[in-house]
Amino acid sequence: MGVGWHANERAHREQRWSARASLASVTLAALLPLLYGGVGGVLLLLVGAAGMAVTASGLWWALTRRGMARVAAAVLAVAAPVAVVGMFAAANLLWVVMLSLGLWLLAVWTGRYALRSTGLRPVRVKEYRTPPPRRPFLVMNPHSGGAKVERFGLKEKAERLGARVVLLDPERPQDVSELARRAVADGADLLGVAGGDGTQALVAAVAAEHGLPFLVVSAGTRNHFAMDLGLDREDPAACLDALSDGVELHVDLGFAGGRPFVNNVSFGVYGTVVQSPAYRDDKVGTALDLLPDLLTRQSGPRLTARAEGTTLTDPQAVLVSNNPYRRDDPAGLGRRERLDSGVLGVLGIRVDSAAEAAGLLLDPEAGALTVLTAREVVVEADRPAIDVGIDGEAFVLPAPVRCHIAPRALRVRVPRLRPGVPQVQPPLDWRRLRKLAAAVGRTAVTRRPAGGSGRPW
């Protein structure tokens, strides 16, 4: 008992001093420009904020203009921050700005450490121990992800572990959903895919339909679904260990107009751009050519999205995701904290001017950005069909498009030993930090007892 008491007391002391260090750092970061630059230092900080606004405006003009106007806007977007840095250097305050930035980063790190050490962590996906499959069936795309199937010997390893493998032939397109259904009819007790997220979603839907486990092999280009499952994206062959030593995770599956998705479905600008025949060969050039008309609504559909009482009118882009993406942690952008929350993430953007683009950069919570969660989202358009991107693949769906989520419909078999999902960083809560900093002795926030929330990753 004595050892445990001292350990808890040490943990509480670390909480208090981390919170105090965070508050002290953020205070110094705010005061340094005033202390060393006086009123001039504060004015230069305002100039810096104005420079960010000019940069955002320049980027907006560069995306919505063509020809020399685009070139001039791009030059402005680059020149503005360079000019601001030059002004700070001329006033001998550049080192103050850099030190203030360093103190702010220290405040964020120590503050999150203090909040993380309270033990108030999110619930992780529960693991289920099940026997290994006896007749697994895998579809592999040999050209996905730069020929990872061949480079990592995925077919050979899967067959050594007892799996039946079908290699897709780009010269003879095959319906992977039909391949999966035939495998189920032949007695397959697990379905898997080594390929991109789009192919994974199609086979995952068949697995969910028949109540079979699904295996993800990170052989695609980006492997977003594999990343959020905590799989090894650097070594796809390690994913096959689930065939012999694995556990199951029960996760959600999204549907858009009846089509399954494991990551997201995009409406608006991106959904239209990916429809262009030139997009595959020249992504940047195609996007730059189409964006001026799309962003200014001279072409493309006029959308309306409805999500449980909230209406998004005329957004340029709507992203509906299978579980919401993180937004409060720059290191975790593009990741999902969990895959079993039972709700869709919805992100809508409407920017009508350079001023609104600048406001979006300076204040991400501004009205130009709508973020919410819902079990169902309906996207309508001023035309009978909508161009969409589903897990990075281009489709045209009849309007309106209904998106919904099937909670924990998919049984994903993963290796028992895997990298796991990085722990989500808690959002900075200055009020809680002040309470932690003022706490005395064992009055600091008590840790939540272990257990009761499923196994950790």
Side-chain angles (χ1 to χ4, degrees):
M1 181 180 294
V3 174
W5 186 89
H6 286 297
N8 285 334
E9 180 62 27
R10 184 169 58 252
H12 294 320
R13 188 164 55 249
E14 290 177 357
Q15 285 178 16
R16 293 195 301 275
W17 285 106
S18 294
R20 291 167 183 171
S22 179
L23 294 174
S25 297
V26 76
T27 301
L28 284 174
L31 290 178
L32 266 179
L34 180 62
L35 293 174
Y36 284 90
V39 176
V42 176
L43 290 176
L44 281 178
L45 287 180
L46 294 177
V47 169
M52 292 177 60
V54 171
T55 298
S57 299
L59 290 173
W60 170 258
W61 289 322
L63 294 175
T64 56
R65 302 291 191 274
R66 290 188 173 90
M68 291 306 300
R70 168 174 284 172
V71 174
V75 170
L76 178 64
V78 174
V82 171
V84 170
V85 171
M87 293 176 66
F88 278 114
N92 197 28
L93 288 175
L94 186 58
W95 70 272
V96 175
V97 174
M98 299 305 295
L99 182 56
S100 293
L101 179 60
L103 286 169
W104 170 252
L105 293 176
L106 177 63
V108 171
W109 186 85
T110 53
R112 283 181 167 167
Y113 177 82
L115 295 172
R116 188 170 63 243
S117 64
T118 62
L120 301 177
R121 299 185 177 92
V123 176
R124 294 300 188 189
V125 179
K126 185 177 180 180
E127 294 181 355
Y128 297 87
R129 291 194 174 276
T130 57
R134 291 178 295 178
R135 301 189 64 183
F137 172 81
L138 273 69
V139 174
M140 294 188 178
N141 183 350
H143 296 277
S144 182
K148 288 182 180 178
V149 170
E150 180 180 353
R151 285 193 288 121
F152 289 91
L154 300 182
K155 179 177 184 294
E156 293 75 15
K157 180 174 180 177
E159 289 177 339
R160 286 198 303 270
L161 291 170
R164 183 164 72 91
V165 178
V166 170
L167 293 179
L168 298 179
D169 184 354
E171 302 298 326
R172 298 169 54 196
Q174 296 171 280
D175 185 336
V176 293
S177 297
E178 183 58 30
L179 286 175
R181 289 192 175 90
R182 277 192 302 220
V184 173
D186 291 340
D189 58 356
L190 175 143
L191 301 177
V193 173
D197 292 326
T199 306
Q200 288 173 4
L202 294 174
V203 179
V206 177
E209 177 186 345
H210 293 276
L212 295 179
F214 177 65
L215 177 68
V216 175
V217 182
S218 56
T221 302
R222 288 174 292 275
N223 300 297
H224 288 298
F225 190 45
M227 174 178 67
D228 293 331
L229 288 169
L231 299 176
D232 191 339
R233 294 192 297 163
E234 302 302 320
D235 181 11
C239 301
L240 293 170
D241 293 340
L243 293 175
S244 57
D245 183 17
V247 293
E248 283 188 12
L249 311 176
H250 295 180
V251 303
D252 305 334
L253 186 62
F255 291 87
R259 288 187 172 274
F261 62 94
V262 293
N263 290 323
N264 57 59
V265 52
S266 301
F267 301 87
V269 171
Y270 178 77
T272 303
V273 168
V274 296
Q275 296 291 333
S276 172
Y279 180 74
R280 295 300 175 189
D281 297 326
D282 184 10
K283 292 181 172 60
V284 175
T286 303
L288 290 176
D289 182 56
L290 297 176
L291 281 176
D293 290 339
L294 293 173
L295 292 176
T296 57
R297 300 188 180 85
Q298 297 179 53
S299 67
R302 307 296 287 260
L303 302 176
T304 300
R306 308 183 191 280
E308 297 186 1
T310 300
T311 300
L312 285 69
T313 304
D314 220 8
Q316 280 108 333
V318 176
L319 180 75
V320 179
S321 59
N322 175 17
N323 285 256
Y325 288 104
R326 301 181 190 173
R327 294 181 54 249
D328 54 4
D329 179 15
L333 290 178
R335 290 180 177 270
R336 288 164 289 183
E337 181 179 335
R338 55 189 300 182
L339 292 170
D340 64 343
S341 67
V343 293
L344 299 166
V346 184
L347 191 152
I349 298 178
R350 174 174 175 168
V351 178
D352 294 321
S353 66
E356 290 186 3
L360 182 61
L361 177 64
L362 296 173
D363 181 12
E365 303 300 327
L369 183 67
T370 301
V371 181
L372 51 91
T373 59
R375 293 185 180 275
E376 180 177 283
V377 180
V378 178
V379 180
E380 303 169 353
D382 61 347
R383 55 190 62 185
I386 307 178
D387 296 332
V388 300
I390 301 180
D391 285 338
E393 301 292 333
F395 293 92
V396 179
L397 301 181
V401 177
R402 173 178 173 265
C403 303
H404 72 281
I405 195 163
R408 305 192 183 188
L410 185 61
R411 299 165 51 195
V412 182
R413 187 169 181 86
V414 297
R416 184 175 57 85
L417 301 176
R418 59 195 185 280
V421 177
Q423 179 181 330
V424 62
Q425 297 295 320
L428 282 178
D429 186 333
W430 298 109
R431 188 174 181 180
R432 284 185 64 200
L433 283 174
R434 286 196 299 271
K435 289 182 178 180
L436 283 173
V440 178
R442 292 176 58 80
T443 60
V445 178
T446 305
R447 290 173 172 268
R448 179 180 291 171
S453 61
R455 292 187 47 171
W457 289 73

